[in-house]
Amino acid sequence: MRIRGGRLPFGRNPAGTSGEGASAEAASDDGTSAEGASGEGTSGEGTPGEGTPGEGTPGVGTSGEGTPGVGTSGEGTPGVGTSGESGRDGGSGDGHAADVRGSAGAGTLSSPWARGAAALLAGALPALAFPAPGLWWFAYVALVPWLLLVRTAHSPRRAALDGWIGGIGFVVAVHHWLVPSLHVFIVLLAALLGLLWAPWGLLVSRLLGGAPSASRAVAAVVLVPSGWLMIELVRSWEGLGGPWGLLGASQWEIAPALRVASVGGVWLVSLLVLAVNTGVALLVADRTARTTAAVLLVVCALSVAAMWAWAPRPTDTGTVRIAVVQPGVVEGPGSVARRFDRGEELTRSLAGRGVDLVVWGESSIGAGAWERPETARRLAELSRLVGADLLVNVDARQTDGSGRSGIFKSAVLVGPDGPTGDRYDKMRLVPFGEYVPARSLLGWATSVGKAAGEDRLRGDRQVVMTLPDGARGLRIGPLVCFETAFPDMSRRLVRDGAQVIVAQSATSTFQDSWAPAQHASLGALRAAENGRPMVHATLTGISAAYGPRGERVGSPLGTDASAAEVFDLPLAGGSTLYGRLGDWPVYGALAALAALCAVEGLRALRRPAPGPPGPPARTAHGSPGRPGR
């Protein structure tokens, strides 16, 4: 038996790839040849390895100096498609290749349907970290199954698909309480929003696939969270549903996480949660990266400890008494008038309790009632009886200062002499709930769900209201419902001088779902971010109050309560780092991703272009595939 080994100038070998575009061709005694390598192994440059060539078994397991193999790499590392210096088929200089056909993704998940179902379920898991389940600790590992699945994708297309399908699962799980209102339309919305996770899937596959080196593990813990943060930033746009379900919001009742929020807002908390998930995924996925992953997790813990110790804290400056009126569920004929009557009754019970402000929930005064003089008279009488102004909420046709007429959702301050003139018109409206985006195109949504039949009009500026001297000139910043999800709005109010953030909400449409608890929890984050107390008043629950560190104050009113509750809120001075610096974690994440793009661009420029294919090699004996000459 004779073996002729040589280097052949092939770019890609369908059976197996060799080190520098060359493969060894081995002829066996029975006349068959093995392309790429024969026996059980080849050396880096196509020289026959230790295998027995006489059997002519095609070598599909090794690669040379950098071309991605199907099984193992040139250095003997078990392969999920790793490469050395300039691998082809998507491989890069740090050892990752997109093609991982020989990876752990085979087996049960080799079926596209099974893999798609696994991605859908994995994407939905983080929803359990939010209220009402409230498994806050689960957020730190909830993404690990999704990360492990994406890293085994056999191609970039599959990685993007895993990201997209997982994104659909995430959106549906976090917003499942919208199904009674949107019906099948939520599936379309989830499919559109899920596309935001397709590039993230590519990023995860690129950084976590194969056997990550120490440098790639460090890059993964920085860049995978940064990519997720870009998704949260894009979907925070009001037209795409707003920042509901930001992963950092799941940590609303954890004191260390609230300290982190005071430094970098909910964005920094999301980065922390994603960094821990990525580190845990590295611990599970690859033995060689475990030491690096463990060190990175310790760094995350030390970072939180440093923020806890050194971040500025709010300074106490006194207390203020604010009452919340929650009439509860009122249904049936005349429900609007009966709800007003119940709110009036509960407010009268506050007489003599020394409150500085009484807050009613969103749409506490129905359409048409506000125009009647009797309504203003009754509210003014309540203000005189209680000895405090009332902040009510009106959903009625009005005309603003610019002459626009239509339905506005407005927070109105009423004193002993009637409306004071202070009014805030809601600026950010709920898509489909309060207006239909591109109604001429998507107006059909009103026929399949409970989408708004008429678009509300939006205000054009935020307002800080000053209470009379009897309340020590307290300055309050009103928000309406959906607006508490936007970190920038509460930050703007505090920068404009608000001492207390006051939110008016109504989630009665979703009374028996997770929505009321999720909505109320946002107040803790907004309070911690800005170092100012916050009150969340609703019609049907959950109403709650939070101190300037995000801590809960008093007892919340649940969805089964019809009551008035007084909260003694601690006032605070000073400013948080988030209040001073704003959304700096978002800009840091953008810079990190830009650096990645720059590095990848330089590698692409330095990578030599493949040479032209050479003539085929001569073999000792012919074969059906390649006749000898």
Side-chain angles (χ1 to χ4, degrees), residues 211-445:
S213 62
S215 60
R216 187 145 62 92
V218 173
V221 172
V222 173
L223 295 170
V224 169
S226 296
W228 182 280
L229 199 64
M230 292 304 100
I231 298 171
E232 293 196 336
L233 178 65
V234 172
R235 71 185 185 89
S236 292
W237 178 48
E238 173 194 342
L240 292 179
W244 191 282
L246 303 186
L247 202 58
S250 65
Q251 307 301 296
W252 67 279
E253 55 184 344
I254 309 306
L258 292 172
R259 286 289 283 155
V260 173
S262 74
V263 174
V266 68
W267 312 114
L268 188 57
V269 183
S270 287
L271 282 176
L272 172 67
V273 172
L274 261 295
V276 173
N277 273 275
T278 307
V280 174
L282 285 167
L283 281 174
V284 174
D286 190 77
R287 183 172 55 190
T288 60
R290 286 177 182 171
T291 300
T292 304
V295 171
L296 291 171
L297 291 174
V298 170
V299 169
C300 290
L302 292 176
S303 299
V304 174
M307 285 183 272
W308 178 271
W310 292 306
R313 297 176 183 268
T315 56
D316 295 336
T317 60
T319 59
V320 63
R321 304 201 84 191
I322 296 181
V324 169
V325 172
Q326 180 177 300
V329 178
V330 180
E331 298 177 325
S335 59
V336 175
R338 288 189 291 114
R339 183 171 62 231
F340 183 92
D341 292 342
R342 179 58 178 160
E344 185 178 29
E345 178 185 355
L346 292 172
T347 302
R348 290 182 180 277
S349 69
L350 298 171
R353 299 187 63 179
V355 298
D356 298 305
L357 175 69
V358 179
V359 183
W360 288 21
E362 180 185 13
S363 300
S364 49
I365 301 177
W370 183 248
E371 285 78 8
R372 295 197 293 266
E374 180 188 0
T375 301
R377 181 189 61 77
R378 291 169 65 180
L379 292 173
E381 181 184 340
L382 287 174
S383 176
R384 290 192 296 269
L385 176 66
V386 175
D389 282 10
L390 277 63
L391 185 68
V392 298
N393 193 274
V394 181
D395 193 2
R397 295 188 179 276
Q398 302 178 53
T399 300
D400 66 5
S402 63
R404 293 182 303 162
S405 295
I407 299 178
F408 287 87
K409 194 174 288 290
S410 305
V412 180
L413 192 65
V414 179
D417 300 322
T420 63
D422 284 334
R423 169 180 139 192
Y424 166 66
D425 297 325
K426 185 178 182 180
M427 296 174 60
R428 296 183 183 173
L429 306 177
V430 180
F432 298 99
E434 294 171 331
Y435 78 104
V436 176
R439 182 175 287 273
S440 59
L441 180 64
L442 301 176
W444 58 269

Side-chain angles (χ1 to χ4, degrees), residues 526-572:
R526 303 292 88 87
E529 287 170 344
N530 299 283
R532 296 294 184 273
M534 180 167 178
V535 174
H536 181 81
T538 72
L539 290 180
T540 59
I542 297 173
S543 298
Y546 303 95
R549 296 171 180 82
E551 73 279 14
R552 183 176 285 170
V553 174
S555 300
L557 295 175
T559 54
D560 58 346
S562 175
E565 185 70 23
V566 177
F567 298 100
D568 291 313
L569 290 176
L571 297 176

